[in-house]
Amino acid sequence: MKPIRNGFFFTTSAILGLLLAGCTGSVATPGHPGSSGGPPGTGSSVSPPATGTGNSGVGISGGGGSSTQISGGTGTGNVGVVVSGGGAGSGTTIGPTNCDGLTSRRVRRLSMREYANVVSDLLGPAAGTTVTTTIQNDNLGDNLVAGFDNQSSVLIVSGPLQEDIADLAATLSSQANPTTLAPCATAAGSPTCLQTFIRSFANKAYGRPMADDEFTRALAVANMGQDYATQVRLAVELVLQSPGTLYVSELGSPTAPVASGQSVPLTQYEIASQLSFLLTGTRPDATLLTAAQTTGFTKSADILSQAQRILATAPAKAALSRFINGWMDMEPLAGFPKDPAVFPILTPAILTAMQQEFDQFVTTQLAGGDGTLASFMMGTSTNVPAALAPIYGTDLLPSGGLDPKHRQGILSLPGVLTVHAGASHSGPVERGLLIRRQLLCQNVPGPPPDAVAKIANGSPLDNGDTKTTTRQKLDAHLTEPACSACHASFDPIGYGFEQMDGIGKFRTTENGLTVDSTGQLTATAAADGSNVDGPFVGPAQLSSMLAQSKLLESCMVDHFFSFSQARPTGPTDTCVVNDWASKFSQGGGHIKDLVLTAVVHPNFVNRKDDR
């Protein structure tokens, strides 16, 4: 069977025609985030419904305020946060603001991980593995942005990726078993069976009912087959590379009134997909689709109930683990590049054990979502694989536990210390940047071109220098004006990790010299004025300090905003992040509370109107 080449499917016009089932209006370029803007105000809902004359509220109610009703109506001012029509609702109004946390209307390409999950749901786990393996072998994996693979700005469709998707669709369809995939009472199949299969398969792939024009086109392609089995495979091949499968729509209803710069409610099926991709990394399950069909997301309580249901599932636990991986900017440890001459004990078995320990630590601390941020900073690994004995050394106590003076919190795990280090050294720069960028959300620019050229011509970390410590070599950063301005902000933090070498093994000497592992944490002032500045020795002490940091809390919230909205935060998101951070802190820093706060916020079910 000749592969179907649907390059035109990747054009914006085709996406609007096929994926969005007749939606009209301008959208952001697929894979690129729009800008936020256009604020609703705050207000309180009233009963019976009444009209307002200012900006509608930013509560979940459409017309606004703090009620839990998402469906609402209109005021005579700017449109509020409305998901579906209903009676008018509004109340107290305030003047306009530029902080609303809204993401612009867009269609976002699925990450390859998400695509593999969708394929797995449609055709089985083996098919999902085929997708993952192909993407890895062809080096077409998605770039990470701040640790996350779902960020719309980098999810574009390149020529090679388009070819890979077409080839995958052909391969997977040829391997599909029409008898089990599209059973029919008539052995030779029938037009009714084929039509039923096409709608069922596409509905699951798209996370919404197939539009009539989409169905007509798919049926026409399928009918090109000479027999029922070929017809089924052609339909599968078409759906697997269609924009309805490859993209997720965030445009709202095509009949929604134009409200330029203000909020536009997502459709019920779009809300179901947002919830599902956030919490499971794939299309909505049958329960979510049924809820969408029956307008089951018109109240925040409906969304909350579904989120709580999903959080108890294995896919949701995996999704939360992905968030933690992104927050820590982790990479897979298998095959992680290290110089074997410097770290001869680092074997594939040890790298595998590091990954196992890290994953188990994350799972344990998450506790299905009930875990806290503090537990990640203060917890101790309780599942140490035997293969890590050479790494832990004397830190592994006879009782089976770990020495809390050196091993406390996620920052002391060998896997984290291995990823955030150099290929041949302990990486004070890398570790200092981990704290600044990922844990404190402080922007540190990359080195200027002249500094890069200087490093290329002679890095201070000369492996041939066996007479000084890594810290002594890097002290040059703090004495050279071209380097000190930036390095003074993160090198002193990285120095505090020096008791751990480049693969996370505790040490007291390097090159025969005593290791100086005193570090200095600075610039940790939070919005409330509190800070945890001060000296520390080792990652365990640093973790204890950071566990008390309000800035750490707000930074985790900032990361979750990016994770949930699939884009970086910006100035118009500040008030939302601050509000979430306040609730997160007051509730004890439970990860699940952060998730539930995000999914019932108006920005989860609304987008900024760019029409």
Side-chain angles (χ1 to χ4, degrees):
M1 182 170 65
K2 186 177 180 179
I4 301 172
R5 298 293 174 182
N6 291 311
F8 68 90
F9 277 167
F10 295 97
T11 67
T12 301
S13 61
I15 292 168
L16 291 176
L18 297 175
L19 167 64
L20 308 177
C23 292
T24 59
S26 61
V27 297
T29 301
H32 294 272
S35 59
S36 300
T42 59
S44 56
S45 58
V46 296
S47 181
T51 57
T53 57
N55 293 330
S56 298
V58 294
I60 294 296
S61 58
S66 56
S67 112
T68 59
Q69 182 71 30
I70 295 182
S71 60
T74 60
T76 58
N78 293 328
V79 174
V81 288
V82 185
V83 165
S84 62
S90 97
T92 305
T93 62
I94 63 171
T97 172
N98 290 322
C99 189
D100 55 23
L102 286 175
T103 297
S104 286
R105 295 167 69 245
R106 65 186 177 185
V107 285
R108 179 181 70 86
R109 199 210 86 198
L110 301 188
S111 70
M112 285 298 96
R113 170 184 54 80
E114 292 169 328
Y115 180 69
N117 288 342
V118 171
V119 169
S120 180
D121 291 343
L122 293 170
L123 299 174
T129 300
T130 297
V131 173
T132 301
T133 302
T134 300
I135 296 301
Q136 290 175 343
N137 290 344
D138 291 356
N139 196 29
L140 291 172
D142 298 314
N143 293 325
L144 299 181
V145 178
F148 302 124
D149 69 354
N150 67 341
Q151 303 296 284
S152 62
S153 61
V154 296
L155 294 177
I156 60 175
V157 177
S158 64
L161 180 60
Q162 182 176 338
E163 288 295 315
D164 258 29
I165 293 295
D167 290 340
L168 275 168
T171 298
L172 293 170
S173 62
S174 68
Q175 295 172 348
N177 185 337
T179 303
T180 57
L181 195 60
C184 187
T186 305
S190 72
T192 299
C193 287
L194 179 63
Q195 293 174 28
T196 299
F197 165 71
I198 290 173
R199 286 197 182 276
S200 175
F201 189 77
N203 290 356
K204 189 174 182 180
Y206 300 170
R208 58 167 174 79
M210 195 180 198
D212 289 342
D213 62 332
E214 292 173 321
F215 173 73
T216 299
R217 184 174 290 106
L219 183 60
V221 170
N223 282 331
M224 294 168 62
Q226 298 301 308
D227 53 61
Y228 183 66
T230 303
Q231 290 171 343
V232 169
R233 290 191 174 108
L234 283 170
V236 169
E237 184 177 356
L238 179 71
V239 168
L240 290 182
Q241 58 181 310
S242 72
T245 301
L246 294 172
Y247 291 86
V248 58
S249 166
E250 302 175 37
L251 293 181
S253 170
T255 62
V258 174
S260 182
Q262 301 303 309
S263 62
V264 173
L266 298 178
T267 69
Q268 297 290 293
Y269 286 106
E270 287 175 331
I271 294 171
S273 280
Q274 290 302 305
L275 195 58
S276 186
F277 276 113
L278 172 63
L279 297 182
T280 69
T282 190
R283 292 289 181 188
D285 62 12
T287 302
L288 281 175
L289 290 177
T290 299
Q293 184 179 9
T294 57
T295 63
F297 303 115
T298 55
K299 296 181 180 180
S300 60
D302 300 327
I303 297 177
L304 189 66
S305 176
Q306 290 290 350
Q308 290 171 327
R309 173 185 69 84
I310 297 171
L311 280 171
T313 67
K317 294 173 183 176
L320 292 182
S321 292
R322 281 195 301 276
F323 166 65
I324 297 300
N325 271 264
W327 169 56
M328 290 300 298
D329 199 18
M330 284 293 288
E331 298 179 34
L333 281 151
F336 199 80
K338 292 287 179 178
D339 188 338
V342 179
F343 304 112
I345 69 170
L346 188 63
T347 63
I350 287 180
L351 285 170
T352 298
M354 286 180 178
Q355 187 71 64
Q356 291 173 346
E357 183 194 33
F358 176 82
D359 292 344
Q360 185 59 53
F361 180 85
V362 170
T363 299
T364 299
Q365 304 312 320
L366 278 172
D370 290 324
T372 64
L373 172 57
S375 71
F376 279 97
M377 306 313 296
M378 301 297 290
T380 301
S381 178
T382 56
N383 294 276
V384 179
L388 291 185
I391 302 297
Y392 276 119
T394 57
D395 281 344
L396 187 59
L397 304 177
S399 63
L402 296 172
D403 187 344
K405 295 191 301 295
H406 304 149
R407 305 292 179 173
Q408 178 176 269
I410 196 167
L411 295 175
S412 68
L413 295 179
V416 173
L417 294 165
T418 296
V419 169
H420 296 288
S424 60
H425 56 83
S426 54
V429 170
E430 289 87 342
R431 292 169 177 176
L433 288 173
L434 167 67
I435 305 303
R436 284 288 179 216
R437 290 173 172 167
Q438 297 299 117
L439 273 62
L440 299 178
C441 291
Q442 295 169 340
N443 180 44
V444 179
D450 57 338
V452 173
K454 186 173 183 179
I455 292 172
N457 291 328
S459 170
L461 294 172
D462 179 8
N463 290 342
D465 179 1
T466 60
K467 298 181 179 179
T468 58
T469 65
T470 298
R471 178 171 186 154
Q472 289 171 334
K473 295 171 186 175
L474 288 180
D475 273 341
H477 285 156
L478 305 181
T479 59
E480 295 186 20
C483 303
S484 61
C486 286
H487 280 270
S489 70
F490 50 84
D491 280 8
I493 301 176
Y495 287 159
F497 286 82
E498 277 300 273
Q499 61 180 220
M500 303 292 181
D501 70 9
I503 55 174
K505 182 176 175 62
F506 178 77
R507 64 183 180 178
T508 58
T509 63
E510 180 186 11
N511 290 333
L513 301 173
T514 299
V515 166
D516 181 358
S517 195
T518 56
Q520 186 73 28
L521 186 61
T522 58
T524 63
D528 65 357
S530 65
N531 71 79
V532 293
D533 293 357
F536 67 94
V537 178
Q541 282 190 17
L542 176 61
S543 293
S544 295
M545 295 167 66
L546 288 172
Q548 308 302 315
S549 173
K550 296 298 181 184
L551 188 57
L552 177 74
E553 290 179 341
S554 65
C555 183
M556 172 172 265
V557 172
D558 189 285
H559 282 297
F560 193 80
F561 185 103
S562 294
F563 183 67
S564 64
Q565 292 288 316
R567 64 171 176 84
T569 56
T572 60
D573 306 316
T574 302
C575 60
V576 177
V577 172
N578 289 344
D579 178 56
W580 292 7
S582 177
K583 294 175 180 176
F584 184 56
S585 180
Q586 292 172 10
H590 290 273
I591 307 301
K592 181 164 68 176
D593 290 347
L594 178 55
V595 176
L596 298 179
T597 295
V599 300
V600 299
H601 191 273
N603 73 355
F604 192 75
V605 296
N606 289 272
R607 293 295 178 265
K608 180 185 174 183
D609 196 344
D610 60 349
R611 294 173 293 175

